[in-house]
Amino acid sequence: MTADISPVLEVLPRDLSAYRQGNTGIPYVHRFDSGRPGPHVLVNALTHGNEICGMVAATHVLERGLRPLLGTLTVSFANVAAYESFDADRPFESRQLVHNLNRVWSPEWLEGGEDSPELRRARELRPVVAAADHILDLHSTSQDVEPFWVYPAFARNAQAALAIGRPSVHLVMPRGLGSGTPLIQHGRHGDGTSDAGVALVAECGQHFKRATADLAVEVTLDFLAHFGLIERELVATSTPQRRYELLQTYVIRTPEFRFTRPLVGFETFAAGELVATDGDAALHAPEDCTVLMPARVPIPGREGFYLARKL
């Protein structure tokens, strides 16, 4: 499968029970209104339970008593149930309990008849997400690759990500993710013709590295400063910005899924080159492209990899 090395656990979960009450009537959701006109910004952590960097950034904001100079700030911890299932001997297993909380933000899932801890939480958080003008959803990666943004291909998203400047790599989704609806495409944020605000995912690095948590804090503060909620000078970066366009999201079909070589992400394949096999299916690169987010282990029904073209 991927070039998998047991991770060093530099950052571990901590008890979040002090944040359960919140102040919105929804557990683990905290809202602060400046009393002045301005945007409503949502910082969302722990969409996946083992992506600890978001927890570090969210608790940083709350514990330092950051309050918006204008508009409204909401801080949420999403999948705390999965987060609380963390086992240091199996650190990747607490991503989700049943469903991927970042693929269920469509009316079909939210209003459908299925049930799980993630669906109950998504339904609970639905008004929180819908109320926000601008959304920062904090994530991390299984493999130790450079951080990157992920966002729908709307000009408003690209402009904000480029202005903030870090991460310097962008994965743009022109037609959605292809394997479900992520939080940043819920409702009006998935509509390119509306007056919706910015909605970005920041993939801040490998799940358990201290540098990943540190970057999540910095990106969060930069995001809040970009929209005027806090005073902070954005650090100019000389790192060239690199942009990729999502071509395909492949969902694993069989336990026999295998890559043709060990991957961690950002490896390139020539047009027609064999990327992976899945049972009897041979998966070839449709053009010269880059693999992102390769699966660590083959789990049918979960994503195997993304293919993207460099812009």
Side-chain angles (χ1 to χ4, degrees):
M1 286 304 301
T2 58
D4 193 19
I5 300 173
S6 297
V8 176
L9 304 180
E10 298 176 355
V11 181
L12 290 169
R14 50 174 283 194
D15 180 18
L16 293 180
S17 59
Y19 300 105
R20 178 179 175 82
Q21 183 68 32
N23 61 356
T24 64
I26 300 172
Y28 296 104
V29 178
H30 301 253
R31 180 167 295 155
F32 308 100
D33 190 334
S34 70
R36 300 178 59 193
H40 183 168
V41 175
L42 169 63
V43 175
N44 185 63
L46 295 179
T47 299
H48 295 132
N50 64 342
E51 300 185 8
I52 299 171
C53 68
M55 175 277 293
V56 174
T59 55
H60 177 96
V61 170
L62 295 173
E63 290 174 357
R64 282 155 182 77
L66 294 183
R67 298 295 181 265
L69 300 174
L70 50 80
T72 301
L73 168 63
T74 296
V75 178
S76 60
F77 302 90
N79 201 348
V80 178
Y83 169 84
E84 290 178 339
S85 74
F86 182 85
D87 181 344
D89 292 329
R90 301 183 302 130
F92 295 101
E93 299 304 310
S94 58
R95 173 181 174 85
Q96 63 197 65
L97 297 178
V98 178
H99 288 105
N100 182 341
L101 183 56
N102 206 30
R103 300 294 182 271
V104 298
W105 291 89
S106 65
E108 291 77 13
W109 278 106
L110 294 174
E111 298 166 15
E114 290 200 47
D115 182 50
S116 70
E118 282 82 11
L119 284 168
R120 289 194 294 273
R121 185 58 170 162
R123 291 161 183 155
E124 192 172 43
L125 290 175
R126 190 176 190 179
V128 177
V129 176
D133 296 312
H134 307 301
I135 299 171
L136 175 64
D137 193 18
L138 294 163
H139 287 255
S140 54
T141 54
S142 297
Q143 301 291 343
D144 188 8
V145 295
E146 59 187 314
F148 57 99
W149 298 107
V150 184
Y151 51 84
F154 305 141
R156 60 183 184 254
N157 291 331
Q159 290 165 0
L162 289 166
I164 293 169
R166 57 178 170 177
S168 61
V169 179
H170 307 241
L171 176 61
V172 180
M173 301 184 296
R175 294 169 296 276
L177 194 54
S179 57
T181 304
L183 182 150
I184 59 169
Q185 285 192 281
H186 175 60
R188 62 196 176 105
H189 288 96
D191 183 357
T193 63
S194 77
D195 60 354
V198 168
L200 307 176
V201 160
E203 298 279 1
C204 296
Q206 204 279 337
H207 297 324
F208 312 113
K209 292 187 69 175
R210 169 53 61 183
T212 302
D214 292 343
L215 180 63
V217 171
E218 297 302 317
V219 169
T220 298
L221 298 178
D222 287 348
F223 193 84
L224 296 178
H226 177 74
F227 291 107
L229 272 68
I230 63 171
E231 287 186 356
R232 172 181 169 89
E233 185 175 351
L234 294 179
V235 177
T237 176
S238 59
T239 305
Q241 302 287 307
R242 294 172 17 233
R243 302 179 75 235
Y244 296 84
E245 179 181 87
L246 181 66
L247 296 171
Q248 175 187 347
T249 301
Y250 184 79
V251 176
I252 296 171
R253 298 176 184 174
T254 75
E256 289 74 43
F257 176 90
R258 296 292 184 273
F259 289 112
T260 54
R261 52 186 163 102
L263 301 177
V264 297
F266 290 97
E267 293 85 357
T268 57
F269 285 79
E273 187 176 354
L274 185 64
V275 177
T277 57
D278 192 359
D280 295 334
L283 309 173
H284 296 271
E287 59 182 77
D288 292 348
C289 57
T290 300
V291 168
L292 297 174
M293 307 287 271
R296 290 181 53 257
V297 294
I299 301 177
R302 294 196 188 181
E303 293 164 4
F305 57 88
Y306 302 163
L307 292 180
R309 72 162 62 99
K310 193 170 183 180
L311 297 175

